[in-house]
Amino acid sequence: LFNIQYGIEIGSAGSSPALIILMACLLRLAGGWAGDRFGGVSTLRWSFIRALPAAIFAGLLPGPGMMTVLLMVLFAALGAASGATFQVVPLQFPEKTAAAMGLVGMVGALGGAAIPLVMAWSYDGTGSFRYGFILFGVLLTAALAGLRLMKMK
């Protein structure tokens, strides 16, 4: 993204993704803490509500500085959501917690692998990363709707 979209040399382009991933990792711990303190579903909702505008604004492809900030917010919020998920799973699946956690871990790994693929497909198919961010916004909206359904049960 930083190399292709903004022409930043590959050697320099690595520092922004490193900060973005660091934020996601640190906020995963905070998301687990918040899930225990405020409830996993509430923490997931909070996280997705913060991630959604970041994904939408990233789709506008702002300058590299603003893009770094938006991606830090996006991935920090998703990191917090990841941490909160581990509070929700045992409550939703008390009899099959280990199997459910294994499934959550698998889906998380697939999701992490899917991000660069989706962005590459977006760029290869359209010449823009915009549609990858739009897809993430759609998926976040679906996740928020799913949380609402969980809350109604």
Side-chain angles (χ1 to χ4, degrees):
L1 172 74
F2 289 96
N3 176 258
I4 295 169
Q5 182 68 38
Y6 302 112
I8 298 172
E9 291 187 33
I10 291 177
S12 300
S15 60
S16 291
L19 284 172
I20 293 162
I21 298 304
L22 179 63
M23 290 299 294
C25 292
L26 293 175
L27 268 288
R28 186 175 190 174
L29 180 61
W33 174 84
D36 287 338
R37 179 131 163 57
F38 304 109
V41 173
S42 294
T43 303
L44 285 169
R45 184 181 315 102
W46 183 92
S47 299
F48 293 157
I49 287 171
R50 273 132 190 95
L52 182 58
I56 291 168
F57 287 120
L60 298 174
L61 303 174
M66 180 55 73
M67 180 61 88
T68 299
V69 170
L70 289 169
L71 291 179
M72 287 174 72
V73 170
L74 175 62
F75 281 86
L78 294 177
S82 176
T85 299
F86 291 97
Q87 193 276 338
V88 173
V89 171
L91 299 176
Q92 294 293 316
F93 305 99
E95 302 297 320
K96 305 220 186 262
T97 299
M101 290 292 227
L103 180 63
V104 166
M106 180 190 77
V107 170
L110 290 173
I115 292 171
L117 291 174
V118 167
M119 297 310 282
W121 291 333
S122 174
Y123 187 80
D124 289 346
T126 68
S128 174
F129 293 106
R130 176 173 286 120
Y131 300 101
F133 289 114
I134 290 170
L135 177 60
F136 293 136
V138 169
L139 292 174
L140 285 163
T141 301
L144 280 164
L147 286 176
R148 185 152 178 87
L149 291 174
M150 275 180 62
K151 203 69 163 170
M152 291 181 122
K153 285 186 177 182

